[in-house]
Amino acid sequence: MYNILICDDEADIVSALKIYLASPDMKFFEAKTGKEAIGIVENEDVHLILLDIMMPVMDGITAAAKIRENSNV
């Protein structure tokens, strides 16, 4: 099973991505901010991150940099 983190502040985009990627081999995690995404990556074994750039609290670029400090995702 593959764990995919979808991080976007727009629920419609998250829903659409889940529909397009839906498979029995996929488990999805959702985050609305970069800060939430970092928390999920710290607590779950994530294989792929789909990360929006412009989000509240912490943007995607900053979140990606912080995630890459401790993960090769």
Side-chain angles (χ1 to χ4, degrees):
M1 178 166 302
Y2 296 100
N3 296 328
I4 299 175
L5 169 58
I6 301 174
C7 183
D8 198 305
D9 56 325
E10 294 187 37
D12 290 342
I13 292 175
V14 173
S15 295
L17 288 169
K18 287 173 67 176
I19 289 168
Y20 289 127
L21 297 171
S23 167
D25 295 333
M26 307 286 182
K27 179 179 179 184
F28 295 99
F29 296 94
E30 298 178 23
K32 293 182 181 176
T33 68
K35 196 167 190 169
E36 284 181 31
I38 291 168
I40 291 170
V41 171
E42 288 175 348
N43 295 310
E44 302 292 340
D45 183 26
V46 176
H47 300 105
L48 174 69
I49 302 173
L50 301 174
L51 186 61
D52 185 21
I53 300 298
M54 297 179 63
M55 294 181 292
V57 182
M58 180 184 292
D59 65 81
I61 301 289
T62 304
K66 294 216 178 269
I67 289 168
R68 294 291 293 183
E69 289 176 3
N70 300 311
S71 173
N72 287 329
V73 157

